[in-house]
Amino acid sequence: MKLVVCVIVDQNLEAILLNEQTPNRGYWFPYDEVKTGETRTLAAQRIANKICPSDIELLSVLKVRCGDVLPYLPSIQTFYLFRKLANASKPESNNSLWMTVDQMKLAVRNLELLGLEPYTIFQNILERQRAHGWDDLTIGRDLFEEPFLQFIECKQLDSNNQSVGAPPEQLITSAKFDNKIQERVFKEFYSYTFPSEYMSFRTFSEIMDNKLSTIEKTKMQAYFRAFDTQQNNYLTYTEYLLGLAAMDPNTSHGGTPAELRCRYIFRFYNIKNNGYLSIEEFRDLHGNVQNLKAGKPNGDLPAYSEVLPIFNSFNLQENSYLTLNDFLSSVGQLKYRGTSVLFRLPTYTKDLLRVNKRFTNMKGDNQYDENHNEINYEIADHCVTLKKSGLLHRVESLRTMSYNDQFSTTTEEAIKKLPRSSSEEIFDHRTIATDIQDMLRVFEKPDVAKEAFTWPSNAISTLGRSILTLCSEVREIIRCETRCLKLSSPCYILGDIHGNYQDLLCFEKCLWRATPLLSPASFLFLGDYVDRGIYGLEVIIYLLATKMQCPKKVYLLRGNHEIRKVQQVFSFYKECLTKFGDILGKEVWEGINSVFDVLPFAAVIDDKILCLHGGIPSPNSCPDDFVSMVNDIPVPLSEPEIGSQLAWEIMWNDPFSIETNTATQLPMNIVNGFFNNTRRSTGKYFTNEALMAFLEKNNFTHVIRAHEVQQVGFKVQLGGRLLTVFSSSHYCGGTNEAATVFVDSFKLRLIRLDAR
């Protein structure tokens, strides 16, 4: 497989053309694979003409990058230099822009590039121009007769020969990163950074997603800063490798590996990245040491009065700040202890490595080895006990169970040495998600001081602040998801809930009584969680807490009531103010809506079943591939009506059927099977013909949507290719039932809820 990369400069060498080819990954050069029957030069001209269709000249080959990193990645990348013969004008693509050197420096600082190549290559071109003295009219091919040849290969650090004594080798040796593990890290790195050889912060967040606990994911910027030893805002493979080695549980916290680890720890807590720890930054460090040693990773930070004497005990030299050398000296001389618990992975690196599935045909979240033909399973390090009713009773670590016969003699010591894994945190009661769930259980039950489904008067303030914390944490989890989710069956799909907390509890008892984590299925909610019903707040915080606990099991889409203006017309805005008061109520309402701003708009199950809230979009708002265009919707999006017509139609459109509309025939102004939705005064209706054309174009077989109440909880429409599901019974005082759709074994199974 061959890849062609186009480096396009403007006439005066003042700017370079960049393109964001994959949504939310950052700007880079335009690129594409060489098609069958094409030469690399023809492919380069095709790519360049598409993005910059006129007055463009091919100058030469700048660079050839070779390497068989993975069998499904291009083995050859050829960089072609083009010059636009006229001054830089607006590119044809909305995802493209011209950048000057100064703008690119700013983009590097703001982490807006996919990799550093645009900046380094542009600088190289300008240096050649200055060295040879040629101006904009005499750009010659002779300067680029010999393209630079680069080989991408895994340059392994010696993990066996400690006699050399180089610090990186000692760190690798201590982490037990043999050649095989280094090669796997190398393949993982390039599967995520492709086509760049640098790792951006966005890519780092993706690759570390399975390596950090939910709590630690909120500190992703700190981890990236610690890994970025050269302070380039982009990581090389070696920086990524050594950062993982520093975090590995195997790595000793003594000698040279300890000194290197302490350098990483210092950068992690040095938020200003200035080489000095302030009292505030040291308080974070010391508090984390104390909390981790006490088994409370999410505990409160110590008071300044407790930290200040310890901080002053260091040999402070400049402006009462702690320097790196003073920190290293104090830890090395054992004057300050406890740092060994900091900056650690929950388990061994070798068990967390994974190849990016964007470039494979794999489904699900299983761990595959580098040959993609074997699934690596492991024993979970906890045991879940359920009551006969199906409720979760308790969770125990296999290593600390009070029984004597859970392990054979050959297994006991090996299991007990395993580090705590992130999966165990899903069940512990120290996260904001479980705090919210505990509060909801109090809300549900009556006692002598309150009725069922009411809040204790003394809990309101604590609840409000807890919701704000929950929103802050779960927003970052959801923000990392694509705008169009890619899911696998089995999967339950639920429609509008509209503040019907009792029905949500009924679904819980029927479908995920203990926890979604113990179900083989995932759960997809199609939006409209608030308004209409009186428990919109309780419904949404229940779902957000569950999402935080089980981010790979629970998925939330955005509906037309997850919009501020709609909530102000209906009931959710008033509900928040009524329950919390004007000041805290507005904070809670805005916090929840900040999560709504980043919710995905669609999901595709098994590459065939499209799920969304309202309906399919018209060709005017979605002229190209649906999934790609949805993934291009801006994040965050606070005003969909203004910011994205595509998002607006997905949330508001309806199928047209005679039995649910007063019109007895289609209007005259129908275009491509779409016409104005007069019932809602916004959005559009779509016909059966429009649906079939959309399915064929995008290779889908069915659409599952919500948005309209149905008497029996669901409705099969438009030739059986569209299902409407509604999951709130007795909607607005009516007599309708609630339902869910279960996608499994190539069947769309309809399940009604008896909520009597």
Side-chain angles (χ1 to χ4, degrees):
M1 193 187 311
K2 299 175 182 177
L3 191 84
V4 166
V5 180
C6 293
V7 180
I8 306 174
V9 297
D10 76 336
Q11 182 181 26
N12 300 319
L13 286 182
E14 294 176 349
I16 195 166
L17 186 61
L18 300 182
N19 174 253
E20 190 177 39
Q21 210 148 311
T22 304
N24 301 318
R25 291 195 73 210
Y27 286 94
W28 208 68
F29 301 117
Y31 66 91
D32 197 5
E33 293 178 12
V34 178
K35 296 183 177 180
T36 304
E38 264 187 336
T39 64
R40 281 179 286 175
T41 301
L42 287 175
Q45 290 172 331
R46 168 176 56 82
I47 299 164
N49 287 330
K50 180 178 179 181
I51 197 170
C52 201
S54 61
D55 296 327
I56 193 167
E57 177 187 13
L58 172 60
L59 296 179
S60 63
V61 176
L62 274 181
K63 174 178 177 179
V64 179
R65 184 187 286 171
C66 306
D68 290 318
V69 179
L70 287 163
Y72 43 81
L73 292 183
S75 57
I76 299 177
Q77 295 183 40
T78 307
F79 290 70
Y80 283 85
L81 176 63
F82 287 84
R83 180 183 63 157
K84 186 171 175 58
L85 299 178
N87 289 331
S89 57
K90 185 175 180 182
E92 291 291 310
S93 171
N94 291 330
N95 297 328
S96 304
L97 51 80
W98 290 94
M99 274 195 190
T100 64
V101 171
D102 289 339
Q103 289 171 334
M104 208 173 302
K105 288 179 181 178
L106 184 62
V108 170
R109 288 199 298 271
N110 294 338
L111 310 174
E112 295 173 353
L113 301 181
L114 172 63
L116 276 177
E117 289 92 346
Y119 180 70
T120 58
I121 288 178
F122 196 18
Q123 287 282 49
N124 179 257
I125 293 172
L126 295 177
E127 287 171 8
R128 292 194 188 195
Q129 178 200 30
R130 288 191 290 267
H132 291 81
W134 40 276
D135 58 30
D136 59 304
L137 298 178
T138 59
I139 296 178
R141 294 176 177 82
D142 56 317
L143 295 177
F144 304 99
E145 284 182 351
E146 295 295 332
F148 176 67
L149 185 61
Q150 177 189 12
F151 290 94
I152 302 293
E153 56 185 345
C154 182
K155 297 177 181 178
Q156 308 219 341
L157 299 177
D158 193 343
S159 61
N160 299 313
N161 186 1
Q162 296 191 42
S163 62
V164 176
E169 276 79 5
Q170 291 190 46
L171 186 64
I172 290 295
T173 300
S174 185
K176 299 181 180 179
F177 280 13
D178 58 21
N179 290 350
K180 184 176 180 181
I181 291 177
Q182 290 184 57
E183 185 176 351
R184 291 182 61 203
V185 173
F186 179 75
K187 291 180 177 180
E188 180 191 50
F189 179 88
Y190 275 98
S191 76
Y192 276 85
T193 63
F194 174 84
S196 175
E197 58 180 316
Y198 295 94
M199 180 174 284
S200 67
F201 172 69
R202 299 178 192 182
T203 307
F204 181 79
S205 300
E206 290 179 40
I207 205 170
M208 295 296 288
D209 180 70
N210 75 316
K211 298 177 178 64
L212 299 175
S213 68
T214 302
I215 296 172
E216 294 304 304
K217 287 178 189 176
T218 63
K219 308 170 187 175
M220 195 69 76
Q221 189 72 56
Y223 280 104
F224 186 75
R225 182 172 58 248
F227 276 55
D228 186 15
T229 58
Q230 300 300 313
Q231 297 189 13
N232 287 326
N233 285 339
Y234 293 84
L235 306 182
T236 64
Y237 157 68
T238 301
E239 286 178 311
Y240 178 63
L241 174 72
L242 293 176
L244 291 180
M247 293 184 70
D248 195 280
N250 278 321
T251 303
S252 168
H253 202 67
T256 299
E259 179 184 338
L260 293 176
R261 272 185 36 79
C262 284
R263 291 178 183 272
Y264 281 95
I265 291 168
F266 190 91
R267 287 193 298 273
F268 182 93
Y269 289 97
N270 188 200
I271 297 173
K272 295 181 180 179
N273 207 17
N274 57 4
Y276 300 91
L277 285 187
S278 65
I279 179 66
E280 293 82 6
E281 292 168 335
F282 178 74
R283 177 178 178 238
D284 289 341
L285 186 156
H286 183 69
N288 286 345
V289 168
Q290 300 301 108
N291 288 331
L292 288 170
K293 289 171 70 175
K296 300 177 180 179
N298 204 27
D300 294 333
L301 293 177
Y304 280 103
S305 59
E306 177 186 339
V307 176
L308 191 58
I310 303 172
F311 186 70
N312 289 332
S313 68
F314 290 95
N315 183 24
L316 304 182
Q317 296 180 358
E318 295 188 36
N319 301 322
S320 297
Y321 286 98
L322 176 59
T323 67
L324 173 61
N325 287 336
D326 289 338
F327 179 69
L328 294 176
S329 176
S330 295
V331 175
Q333 296 174 26
L334 303 182
K335 293 180 180 178
Y336 185 75
R337 297 171 178 265
T339 53
S340 62
V341 298
L342 300 175
F343 202 70
R344 291 289 192 186
L345 290 171
T347 190
Y348 304 112
T349 301
K350 64 182 179 65
D351 297 326
L352 297 172
L353 299 175
R354 57 178 184 174
V355 170
N356 192 341
K357 295 168 193 163
R358 285 186 298 126
F359 305 109
T360 70
N361 293 320
M362 292 184 281
K363 293 181 180 179
D365 291 305
N366 299 317
Q367 294 178 332
Y368 285 73
D369 70 5
E370 56 267 35
N371 296 319
H372 317 296
N373 56 12
E374 180 182 343
I375 300 174
N376 299 323
Y377 283 95
E378 61 183 19
I379 297 174
D381 62 358
H382 58 274
C383 175
V384 177
T385 304
L386 301 178
K387 295 180 180 180
K388 289 184 178 180
S389 63
L391 292 174
L392 183 66
H393 177 51
R394 68 171 177 267
V395 180
E396 300 170 283
S397 168
L398 295 182
R399 299 155 295 158
T400 59
M401 285 175 65
S402 57
Y403 304 96
N404 297 320
D405 56 356
Q406 70 265 36
F407 304 123
S408 70
T409 55
T410 59
T411 307
E412 183 171 4
E413 289 305 314
I415 293 291
K416 286 188 175 181
K417 290 179 181 178
L418 285 176
R420 172 186 171 95
S421 75
S422 57
S423 61
E424 196 174 332
E425 291 186 3
I426 292 172
F427 298 102
D428 72 29
H429 288 267
R430 291 172 297 194
T431 67
I432 189 63
T434 48
D435 287 347
I436 291 287
Q437 289 173 330
D438 288 345
M439 294 179 189
L440 284 169
R441 297 314 177 200
V442 173
F443 164 79
E444 296 162 16
K445 296 178 181 178
D447 61 28
V448 294
K450 61 177 280 298
E451 297 179 353
F453 299 104
T454 60
W455 289 104
S457 57
N458 60 356
I460 295 300
S461 178
T462 301
L463 173 66
R465 296 301 168 192
S466 297
I467 292 173
L468 293 176
T469 302
L470 173 69
C471 290
S472 176
E473 296 199 14
V474 79
R475 185 178 190 269
E476 294 309 307
I477 295 173
I478 296 174
R479 191 186 180 106
C480 294
E481 296 177 339
T482 57
R483 296 301 237 168
C484 184
L485 302 168
K486 196 170 185 179
L487 307 180
S488 300
S489 58
C491 181
Y492 288 97
I493 303 168
L494 286 85
D496 298 36
I497 299 176
H498 277 304
N500 192 333
Y501 190 70
Q502 288 93 335
D503 275 10
L504 183 59
L505 292 182
C506 288
F507 279 116
E508 175 195 75
K509 292 175 183 177
C510 296
L511 304 181
W512 63 90
R513 180 136 191 148
T515 165
L517 191 73
L518 298 182
S519 168
S522 53
F523 298 86
L524 175 64
F525 295 82
L526 300 183
D528 277 16
Y529 313 110
V530 300
D531 285 335
R532 304 285 193 179
I534 60 175
Y535 299 121
L537 175 79
E538 290 74 21
V539 165
I540 190 57
I541 64 174
Y542 176 103
L543 293 174
L544 294 181
T546 308
K547 173 66 179 178
M548 182 177 171
Q549 276 193 308
C550 311
K552 300 298 183 182
K553 282 287 189 178
V554 175
Y555 298 93
L556 309 177
L557 301 187
R558 190 172 186 176
N560 62 300
H561 281 264
E562 280 69 66
I563 300 173
R564 291 170 179 79
K565 290 181 179 179
V566 175
Q567 297 160 19
Q568 289 172 322
V569 172
F570 288 90
S571 60
F572 185 57
Y573 177 73
K574 183 178 180 181
E575 179 184 346
C576 291
L577 269 59
T578 301
K579 289 178 176 177
F580 295 104
D582 286 354
I583 297 176
L584 182 56
K586 288 179 181 177
E587 287 186 55
V588 169
W589 179 72
E590 184 56 43
I592 292 172
N593 274 282
S594 74
V595 181
F596 292 161
D597 290 345
V598 300
L599 287 180
F601 287 95
V604 179
I605 301 174
D606 295 339
D607 297 322
K608 292 296 181 183
I609 312 299
L610 174 63
C611 304
L612 33 67
H613 178 74
I616 63 171
S618 65
N620 288 338
S621 66
C622 186
D624 296 323
D625 173 70
F626 175 83
V627 173
S628 299
M629 294 206 68
V630 172
N631 282 332
D632 284 341
I633 294 174
V635 184
L637 185 65
S638 59
E639 295 185 272
E641 186 175 14
I642 298 173
S644 173
Q645 182 62 27
L646 173 58
W648 190 256
E649 289 194 15
I650 288 173
M651 291 189 291
W652 285 95
N653 285 4
D654 288 312
F656 179 82
S657 65
I658 298 298
E659 59 265 30
T660 58
N661 290 274
T662 56
T664 57
Q665 61 184 11
L666 295 176
M668 298 296 294
N669 61 343
I670 187 168
V671 178
N672 296 319
F674 290 84
F675 55 98
N676 289 337
N677 191 327
T678 52
R679 181 164 61 94
R680 296 187 187 274
S681 299
T682 191
K684 297 182 182 297
Y685 282 122
F686 58 93
T687 64
N688 183 58
E689 291 74 20
L691 175 66
M692 296 307 295
F694 175 84
L695 294 175
E696 182 178 358
K697 176 183 176 182
N698 292 281
N699 199 27
F700 300 143
T701 62
H702 293 79
V703 171
I704 299 176
R705 44 91 66 173
H707 198 40
E708 292 181 293
V709 62
Q710 303 298 336
Q711 187 60 32
V712 296
F714 68 87
K715 189 164 191 172
V716 183
Q717 299 165 272
L718 303 189
R721 294 300 188 96
L722 183 137
L723 285 175
T724 297
V725 59
F726 202 83
S727 302
S728 175
S729 65
H730 304 98
Y731 177 64
C732 293
T735 60
N736 69 286
E737 299 177 46
T740 181
V741 180
F742 183 40
V743 181
D744 183 42
S745 301
F746 307 105
K747 296 287 186 181
L748 306 182
R749 305 182 186 277
L750 298 162
I751 302 172
R752 293 161 65 191
L753 177 68
D754 186 355
R756 290 175 294 178

